[in-house]
Amino acid sequence: NAGVTQTPKFQVLKTGQSMTLQCAQDMNHEYMSWYRQDPGMGLRLIHYSVGAGITDQGEVPNGYNVSRSTTEDFPLRLLSAAPSQTSVYFCASSYLDTQYFGPGTRLTVL
Amino acid sequence: GQQLNQSPQSMFIQEGEDVSMNCTSSSIFNTWLWYKQDPGEGPVLLIALYKAGELTSNGRLTAQFGITRKDSFLNISASIPSDVGIYFCAGQGGAQKLVFGQGTRLTINP
């Protein structure tokens, strides 16, 4: 089992560019989520999904889109990157009350 | 949104000392979780607490779920160098959504 994988590990964007952060899990978990981590802020929930075809907003969804076409994949899309989206992004999948986090994507928007 | 207040924000201790950190919330949670994050990695679950008043241990770690369901603490006994990292509390309400504290950065002097 690879667990939760995220790509890329690092990314630099210019303001206004778009990109997709990839997340995949091989544990057949129904629940997946995206968080962003900023210094001194802990992790904040962006979007989550309780199963294929079902997504919902978290605490800080603005500027991000998600879709869940398969159980395994949960990509996060930035349509027009802004400097305020500079952060470390973590994807997680969970079984019951245990969330398993990926290694993170460090994104810088110039 | 919901907020968790975690303290202290940072700790500098000698190897072998005991450590204590806590989290408080204005909201009630059904589950309290404690995570550790190493540099460049995602958070890893240390302890999960499911019932008010519950006291749970995992090796040198002990955590308690407060009676009011609005707080939790984590103790680490006899600290060792590999305990260095950032510790996060998280409260879970419904739909497996987590709210994280700001983190406690632990530094250990050998």
mmCIF file of all heavy atoms in Angstrom, chain B residues 18-57:
data_model
loop_
_atom_site.group_PDB
_atom_site.id
_atom_site.type_symbol
_atom_site.label_atom_id
_atom_site.label_comp_id
_atom_site.label_asym_id
_atom_site.label_seq_id
_atom_site.Cartn_x
_atom_site.Cartn_y
_atom_site.Cartn_z
ATOM 1 N N ASP B 18 9.334 16.039 31.205
ATOM 2 C CA ASP B 18 7.959 15.770 30.790
ATOM 3 C C ASP B 18 7.381 17.003 30.097
ATOM 4 O O ASP B 18 7.807 18.135 30.358
ATOM 5 C CB ASP B 18 7.096 15.408 31.998
ATOM 6 C CG ASP B 18 7.547 14.139 32.686
ATOM 7 O OD1 ASP B 18 8.292 13.349 32.064
ATOM 8 O OD2 ASP B 18 7.150 13.928 33.841
ATOM 9 N N VAL B 19 6.421 16.766 29.213
ATOM 10 C CA VAL B 19 5.828 17.832 28.409
ATOM 11 C C VAL B 19 4.317 17.788 28.574
ATOM 12 O O VAL B 19 3.728 16.695 28.626
ATOM 13 C CB VAL B 19 6.171 17.638 26.909
ATOM 14 C CG1 VAL B 19 5.391 18.600 26.037
ATOM 15 C CG2 VAL B 19 7.666 17.769 26.687
ATOM 16 N N SER B 20 3.701 18.951 28.630
ATOM 17 C CA SER B 20 2.248 19.003 28.695
ATOM 18 C C SER B 20 1.733 20.113 27.793
ATOM 19 O O SER B 20 2.261 21.215 27.803
ATOM 20 C CB SER B 20 1.789 19.258 30.133
ATOM 21 O OG SER B 20 0.381 19.222 30.211
ATOM 22 N N MET B 21 0.722 19.827 26.998
ATOM 23 C CA MET B 21 0.106 20.818 26.130
ATOM 24 C C MET B 21 -1.403 20.596 26.138
ATOM 25 O O MET B 21 -1.864 19.492 26.448
ATOM 26 C CB MET B 21 0.667 20.742 24.707
ATOM 27 C CG MET B 21 0.490 19.415 24.028
ATOM 28 S SD MET B 21 1.448 19.272 22.496
ATOM 29 C CE MET B 21 3.082 18.927 23.140
ATOM 30 N N ASN B 22 -2.171 21.640 25.806
ATOM 31 C CA ASN B 22 -3.615 21.466 25.863
ATOM 32 C C ASN B 22 -4.328 22.250 24.781
ATOM 33 O O ASN B 22 -3.750 23.145 24.148
ATOM 34 C CB ASN B 22 -4.150 21.863 27.240
ATOM 35 C CG ASN B 22 -4.018 23.349 27.498
ATOM 36 O OD1 ASN B 22 -4.832 24.150 27.071
ATOM 37 N ND2 ASN B 22 -2.961 23.730 28.178
ATOM 38 N N CYS B 23 -5.575 21.907 24.598
ATOM 39 C CA CYS B 23 -6.443 22.541 23.606
ATOM 40 C C CYS B 23 -7.777 22.856 24.228
ATOM 41 O O CYS B 23 -8.328 22.023 24.971
ATOM 42 C CB CYS B 23 -6.688 21.587 22.434
ATOM 43 S SG CYS B 23 -5.726 21.968 21.000
ATOM 44 N N THR B 24 -8.307 24.036 23.912
ATOM 45 C CA THR B 24 -9.655 24.375 24.369
ATOM 46 C C THR B 24 -10.472 24.873 23.194
ATOM 47 O O THR B 24 -9.925 25.392 22.211
ATOM 48 C CB THR B 24 -9.628 25.458 25.462
ATOM 49 O OG1 THR B 24 -8.988 26.630 24.925
ATOM 50 C CG2 THR B 24 -8.886 24.994 26.685
ATOM 51 N N SER B 25 -11.767 24.702 23.308
ATOM 52 C CA SER B 25 -12.665 25.065 22.220
ATOM 53 C C SER B 25 -13.908 25.728 22.777
ATOM 54 O O SER B 25 -14.303 25.477 23.915
ATOM 55 C CB SER B 25 -13.067 23.806 21.446
ATOM 56 O OG SER B 25 -14.116 24.091 20.544
ATOM 57 N N SER B 26 -14.521 26.565 21.975
ATOM 58 C CA SER B 26 -15.807 27.144 22.365
ATOM 59 C C SER B 26 -16.951 26.202 21.992
ATOM 60 O O SER B 26 -18.097 26.415 22.399
ATOM 61 C CB SER B 26 -16.007 28.498 21.679
ATOM 62 O OG SER B 26 -15.912 28.360 20.271
ATOM 63 N N SER B 27 -16.637 25.176 21.202
ATOM 64 C CA SER B 27 -17.654 24.222 20.745
ATOM 65 C C SER B 27 -17.396 22.848 21.333
ATOM 66 O O SER B 27 -16.284 22.526 21.726
ATOM 67 C CB SER B 27 -17.641 24.107 19.222
ATOM 68 O OG SER B 27 -17.798 25.363 18.613
ATOM 69 N N ILE B 28 -18.442 22.049 21.363
ATOM 70 C CA ILE B 28 -18.332 20.664 21.813
ATOM 71 C C ILE B 28 -17.913 19.791 20.642
ATOM 72 O O ILE B 28 -18.405 19.959 19.527
ATOM 73 C CB ILE B 28 -19.695 20.193 22.383
ATOM 74 C CG1 ILE B 28 -19.975 20.892 23.708
ATOM 75 C CG2 ILE B 28 -19.727 18.685 22.549
ATOM 76 C CD1 ILE B 28 -21.351 20.609 24.262
ATOM 77 N N PHE B 29 -17.012 18.852 20.901
ATOM 78 C CA PHE B 29 -16.622 17.883 19.889
ATOM 79 C C PHE B 29 -16.937 16.467 20.360
ATOM 80 O O PHE B 29 -16.910 16.176 21.553
ATOM 81 C CB PHE B 29 -15.125 18.003 19.576
ATOM 82 C CG PHE B 29 -14.780 19.241 18.810
ATOM 83 C CD1 PHE B 29 -14.132 20.304 19.422
ATOM 84 C CD2 PHE B 29 -15.116 19.351 17.470
ATOM 85 C CE1 PHE B 29 -13.820 21.451 18.719
ATOM 86 C CE2 PHE B 29 -14.807 20.503 16.756
ATOM 87 C CZ PHE B 29 -14.166 21.553 17.375
ATOM 88 N N ASN B 30 -17.206 15.594 19.395
ATOM 89 C CA ASN B 30 -17.477 14.195 19.711
ATOM 90 C C ASN B 30 -16.203 13.379 19.860
ATOM 91 O O ASN B 30 -16.192 12.335 20.496
ATOM 92 C CB ASN B 30 -18.337 13.569 18.611
ATOM 93 C CG ASN B 30 -19.692 14.248 18.490
ATOM 94 O OD1 ASN B 30 -20.256 14.672 19.491
ATOM 95 N ND2 ASN B 30 -20.195 14.358 17.282
ATOM 96 N N THR B 31 -15.156 13.845 19.192
ATOM 97 C CA THR B 31 -13.871 13.139 19.201
ATOM 98 C C THR B 31 -12.753 14.158 19.279
ATOM 99 O O THR B 31 -12.832 15.213 18.637
ATOM 100 C CB THR B 31 -13.710 12.311 17.900
ATOM 101 O OG1 THR B 31 -14.786 11.383 17.788
ATOM 102 C CG2 THR B 31 -12.389 11.569 17.893
ATOM 103 N N TRP B 32 -11.739 13.846 20.073
ATOM 104 C CA TRP B 32 -10.519 14.661 20.098
ATOM 105 C C TRP B 32 -9.375 13.797 19.596
ATOM 106 O O TRP B 32 -9.269 12.615 19.941
ATOM 107 C CB TRP B 32 -10.214 15.141 21.513
ATOM 108 C CG TRP B 32 -11.001 16.326 21.951
ATOM 109 C CD1 TRP B 32 -12.194 16.319 22.609
ATOM 110 C CD2 TRP B 32 -10.666 17.702 21.761
ATOM 111 N NE1 TRP B 32 -12.621 17.594 22.841
ATOM 112 C CE2 TRP B 32 -11.706 18.473 22.333
ATOM 113 C CE3 TRP B 32 -9.593 18.373 21.166
ATOM 114 C CZ2 TRP B 32 -11.700 19.870 22.325
ATOM 115 C CZ3 TRP B 32 -9.592 19.765 21.164
ATOM 116 C CH2 TRP B 32 -10.635 20.495 21.734
ATOM 117 N N LEU B 33 -8.510 14.404 18.780
ATOM 118 C CA LEU B 33 -7.393 13.689 18.188
ATOM 119 C C LEU B 33 -6.119 14.488 18.403
ATOM 120 O O LEU B 33 -6.148 15.722 18.415
ATOM 121 C CB LEU B 33 -7.624 13.496 16.679
ATOM 122 C CG LEU B 33 -8.933 12.793 16.296
ATOM 123 C CD1 LEU B 33 -9.299 13.091 14.860
ATOM 124 C CD2 LEU B 33 -8.820 11.307 16.518
ATOM 125 N N TRP B 34 -5.014 13.774 18.578
ATOM 126 C CA TRP B 34 -3.706 14.418 18.672
ATOM 127 C C TRP B 34 -2.812 13.871 17.565
ATOM 128 O O TRP B 34 -2.699 12.650 17.392
ATOM 129 C CB TRP B 34 -3.074 14.180 20.037
ATOM 130 C CG TRP B 34 -3.708 15.008 21.106
ATOM 131 C CD1 TRP B 34 -4.745 14.666 21.914
ATOM 132 C CD2 TRP B 34 -3.344 16.348 21.467
ATOM 133 N NE1 TRP B 34 -5.057 15.712 22.749
ATOM 134 C CE2 TRP B 34 -4.211 16.755 22.494
ATOM 135 C CE3 TRP B 34 -2.370 17.245 21.020
ATOM 136 C CZ2 TRP B 34 -4.142 18.018 23.090
ATOM 137 C CZ3 TRP B 34 -2.296 18.501 21.606
ATOM 138 C CH2 TRP B 34 -3.172 18.877 22.621
ATOM 139 N N TYR B 35 -2.178 14.803 16.808
ATOM 140 C CA TYR B 35 -1.301 14.464 15.697
ATOM 141 C C TYR B 35 0.095 15.023 15.947
ATOM 142 O O TYR B 35 0.266 16.030 16.634
ATOM 143 C CB TYR B 35 -1.813 15.085 14.388
ATOM 144 C CG TYR B 35 -3.031 14.436 13.801
ATOM 145 C CD1 TYR B 35 -4.311 14.791 14.222
ATOM 146 C CD2 TYR B 35 -2.911 13.482 12.791
ATOM 147 C CE1 TYR B 35 -5.436 14.202 13.662
ATOM 148 C CE2 TYR B 35 -4.034 12.892 12.222
ATOM 149 C CZ TYR B 35 -5.285 13.271 12.667
ATOM 150 O OH TYR B 35 -6.395 12.694 12.101
ATOM 151 N N LYS B 36 1.082 14.368 15.322
ATOM 152 C CA LYS B 36 2.452 14.891 15.308
ATOM 153 C C LYS B 36 2.880 15.064 13.858
ATOM 154 O O LYS B 36 2.607 14.201 13.011
ATOM 155 C CB LYS B 36 3.415 13.948 16.014
ATOM 156 C CG LYS B 36 4.876 14.428 15.998
ATOM 157 C CD LYS B 36 5.743 13.505 16.796
ATOM 158 C CE LYS B 36 7.176 14.055 16.830
ATOM 159 N NZ LYS B 36 8.075 13.354 15.961
ATOM 160 N N GLN B 37 3.546 16.178 13.594
ATOM 161 C CA GLN B 37 4.028 16.453 12.250
ATOM 162 C C GLN B 37 5.535 16.658 12.278
ATOM 163 O O GLN B 37 6.039 17.525 12.993
ATOM 164 C CB GLN B 37 3.343 17.687 11.659
ATOM 165 C CG GLN B 37 3.721 17.967 10.223
ATOM 166 C CD GLN B 37 2.986 19.161 9.659
ATOM 167 O OE1 GLN B 37 2.598 20.080 10.378
ATOM 168 N NE2 GLN B 37 2.784 19.168 8.348
ATOM 169 N N ASP B 38 6.247 15.850 11.508
ATOM 170 C CA ASP B 38 7.684 16.029 11.335
ATOM 171 C C ASP B 38 7.925 16.942 10.142
ATOM 172 O O ASP B 38 7.083 17.049 9.250
ATOM 173 C CB ASP B 38 8.365 14.686 11.113
ATOM 174 C CG ASP B 38 8.324 13.805 12.357
ATOM 175 O OD1 ASP B 38 8.433 14.373 13.470
ATOM 176 O OD2 ASP B 38 8.163 12.588 12.234
ATOM 177 N N PRO B 39 9.080 17.600 10.071
ATOM 178 C CA PRO B 39 9.358 18.525 8.966
ATOM 179 C C PRO B 39 9.203 17.859 7.609
ATOM 180 O O PRO B 39 9.724 16.764 7.382
ATOM 181 C CB PRO B 39 10.813 18.937 9.221
ATOM 182 C CG PRO B 39 10.998 18.763 10.684
ATOM 183 C CD PRO B 39 10.160 17.590 11.081
ATOM 184 N N GLY B 40 8.470 18.505 6.706
ATOM 185 C CA GLY B 40 8.307 17.997 5.354
ATOM 186 C C GLY B 40 7.362 16.829 5.223
ATOM 187 O O GLY B 40 7.271 16.221 4.145
ATOM 188 N N GLU B 41 6.636 16.517 6.296
ATOM 189 C CA GLU B 41 5.722 15.371 6.268
ATOM 190 C C GLU B 41 4.310 15.821 6.632
ATOM 191 O O GLU B 41 4.101 16.917 7.149
ATOM 192 C CB GLU B 41 6.173 14.303 7.268
ATOM 193 C CG GLU B 41 7.589 13.796 7.062
ATOM 194 C CD GLU B 41 7.710 12.941 5.817
ATOM 195 O OE1 GLU B 41 6.686 12.355 5.404
ATOM 196 O OE2 GLU B 41 8.818 12.889 5.254
ATOM 197 N N GLY B 42 3.344 14.941 6.364
ATOM 198 C CA GLY B 42 1.990 15.195 6.817
ATOM 199 C C GLY B 42 1.824 14.768 8.265
ATOM 200 O O GLY B 42 2.631 14.016 8.801
ATOM 201 N N PRO B 43 0.763 15.257 8.919
ATOM 202 C CA PRO B 43 0.503 14.857 10.311
ATOM 203 C C PRO B 43 0.235 13.366 10.427
ATOM 204 O O PRO B 43 -0.365 12.760 9.539
ATOM 205 C CB PRO B 43 -0.749 15.669 10.677
ATOM 206 C CG PRO B 43 -0.794 16.784 9.693
ATOM 207 C CD PRO B 43 -0.210 16.246 8.434
ATOM 208 N N VAL B 44 0.668 12.801 11.544
ATOM 209 C CA VAL B 44 0.447 11.383 11.829
ATOM 210 C C VAL B 44 -0.326 11.279 13.134
ATOM 211 O O VAL B 44 0.024 11.934 14.123
ATOM 212 C CB VAL B 44 1.779 10.628 11.944
ATOM 213 C CG1 VAL B 44 1.545 9.193 12.390
ATOM 214 C CG2 VAL B 44 2.520 10.644 10.617
ATOM 215 N N LEU B 45 -1.364 10.467 13.143
ATOM 216 C CA LEU B 45 -2.206 10.338 14.329
ATOM 217 C C LEU B 45 -1.451 9.652 15.466
ATOM 218 O O LEU B 45 -0.843 8.597 15.287
ATOM 219 C CB LEU B 45 -3.465 9.535 13.995
ATOM 220 C CG LEU B 45 -4.471 9.359 15.131
ATOM 221 C CD1 LEU B 45 -5.080 10.704 15.518
ATOM 222 C CD2 LEU B 45 -5.561 8.381 14.730
ATOM 223 N N LEU B 46 -1.529 10.282 16.665
ATOM 224 C CA LEU B 46 -0.901 9.710 17.856
ATOM 225 C C LEU B 46 -1.937 9.028 18.742
ATOM 226 O O LEU B 46 -1.751 7.898 19.180
ATOM 227 C CB LEU B 46 -0.216 10.817 18.670
ATOM 228 C CG LEU B 46 0.928 11.561 17.995
ATOM 229 C CD1 LEU B 46 1.377 12.717 18.884
ATOM 230 C CD2 LEU B 46 2.083 10.624 17.701
ATOM 231 N N ILE B 47 -2.979 9.769 19.075
ATOM 232 C CA ILE B 47 -3.996 9.276 20.002
ATOM 233 C C ILE B 47 -5.355 9.805 19.572
ATOM 234 O O ILE B 47 -5.468 10.957 19.167
ATOM 235 C CB ILE B 47 -3.703 9.736 21.447
ATOM 236 C CG1 ILE B 47 -2.455 9.028 21.995
ATOM 237 C CG2 ILE B 47 -4.889 9.455 22.368
ATOM 238 C CD1 ILE B 47 -2.102 9.433 23.428
ATOM 239 N N ALA B 48 -6.372 8.958 19.700
ATOM 240 C CA ALA B 48 -7.759 9.350 19.443
ATOM 241 C C ALA B 48 -8.571 9.127 20.718
ATOM 242 O O ALA B 48 -8.417 8.108 21.392
ATOM 243 C CB ALA B 48 -8.344 8.534 18.301
ATOM 244 N N LEU B 49 -9.426 10.095 21.039
ATOM 245 C CA LEU B 49 -10.258 10.047 22.245
ATOM 246 C C LEU B 49 -11.713 10.176 21.840
ATOM 247 O O LEU B 49 -12.082 11.085 21.096
ATOM 248 C CB LEU B 49 -9.884 11.208 23.181
ATOM 249 C CG LEU B 49 -8.423 11.249 23.621
ATOM 250 C CD1 LEU B 49 -8.033 12.652 24.044
ATOM 251 C CD2 LEU B 49 -8.191 10.271 24.769
ATOM 252 N N TYR B 50 -12.560 9.270 22.350
ATOM 253 C CA TYR B 50 -13.922 9.185 21.848
ATOM 254 C C TYR B 50 -14.996 9.487 22.885
ATOM 255 O O TYR B 50 -16.176 9.610 22.528
ATOM 256 C CB TYR B 50 -14.181 7.781 21.290
ATOM 257 C CG TYR B 50 -13.247 7.403 20.167
ATOM 258 C CD1 TYR B 50 -12.194 6.513 20.373
ATOM 259 C CD2 TYR B 50 -13.402 7.961 18.904
ATOM 260 C CE1 TYR B 50 -11.337 6.191 19.341
ATOM 261 C CE2 TYR B 50 -12.548 7.628 17.858
ATOM 262 C CZ TYR B 50 -11.517 6.738 18.093
ATOM 263 O OH TYR B 50 -10.671 6.410 17.064
ATOM 264 N N LYS B 51 -14.602 9.573 24.169
ATOM 265 C CA LYS B 51 -15.616 9.720 25.198
ATOM 266 C C LYS B 51 -15.161 10.735 26.223
ATOM 267 O O LYS B 51 -14.001 10.735 26.651
ATOM 268 C CB LYS B 51 -15.843 8.355 25.874
ATOM 269 C CG LYS B 51 -17.133 8.223 26.609
ATOM 270 C CD LYS B 51 -17.459 6.772 26.926
ATOM 271 C CE LYS B 51 -16.488 6.172 27.913
ATOM 272 N NZ LYS B 51 -16.949 4.824 28.366
ATOM 273 N N ALA B 52 -16.079 11.608 26.664
ATOM 274 C CA ALA B 52 -15.758 12.603 27.680
ATOM 275 C C ALA B 52 -15.198 11.921 28.914
ATOM 276 O O ALA B 52 -15.755 10.935 29.405
ATOM 277 C CB ALA B 52 -17.000 13.409 28.029
ATOM 278 N N GLY B 53 -14.076 12.468 29.417
ATOM 279 C CA GLY B 53 -13.426 11.906 30.584
ATOM 280 C C GLY B 53 -12.420 10.808 30.263
ATOM 281 O O GLY B 53 -11.646 10.411 31.136
ATOM 282 N N GLU B 54 -12.395 10.360 29.035
ATOM 283 C CA GLU B 54 -11.506 9.259 28.657
ATOM 284 C C GLU B 54 -10.044 9.650 28.787
ATOM 285 O O GLU B 54 -9.646 10.747 28.398
ATOM 286 C CB GLU B 54 -11.807 8.843 27.209
ATOM 287 C CG GLU B 54 -10.947 7.721 26.663
ATOM 288 C CD GLU B 54 -11.276 7.395 25.214
ATOM 289 O OE1 GLU B 54 -12.251 7.975 24.682
ATOM 290 O OE2 GLU B 54 -10.569 6.581 24.611
ATOM 291 N N LEU B 55 -9.252 8.752 29.346
ATOM 292 C CA LEU B 55 -7.806 8.927 29.482
ATOM 293 C C LEU B 55 -7.159 7.777 28.720
ATOM 294 O O LEU B 55 -7.430 6.618 29.024
ATOM 295 C CB LEU B 55 -7.395 8.910 30.949
ATOM 296 C CG LEU B 55 -5.927 9.194 31.272
ATOM 297 C CD1 LEU B 55 -5.614 10.660 31.051
ATOM 298 C CD2 LEU B 55 -5.628 8.810 32.718
ATOM 299 N N THR B 56 -6.336 8.095 27.732
ATOM 300 C CA THR B 56 -5.753 7.066 26.873
ATOM 301 C C THR B 56 -4.252 7.245 26.776
ATOM 302 O O THR B 56 -3.767 8.378 26.670
ATOM 303 C CB THR B 56 -6.371 7.139 25.462
ATOM 304 O OG1 THR B 56 -7.757 6.854 25.548
ATOM 305 C CG2 THR B 56 -5.738 6.131 24.523
ATOM 306 N N SER B 57 -3.521 6.146 26.799
ATOM 307 C CA SER B 57 -2.066 6.189 26.682
ATOM 308 C C SER B 57 -1.602 5.456 25.436
ATOM 309 O O SER B 57 -2.234 4.505 24.977
ATOM 310 C CB SER B 57 -1.411 5.554 27.907
ATOM 311 O OG SER B 57 -1.652 6.333 29.049
#
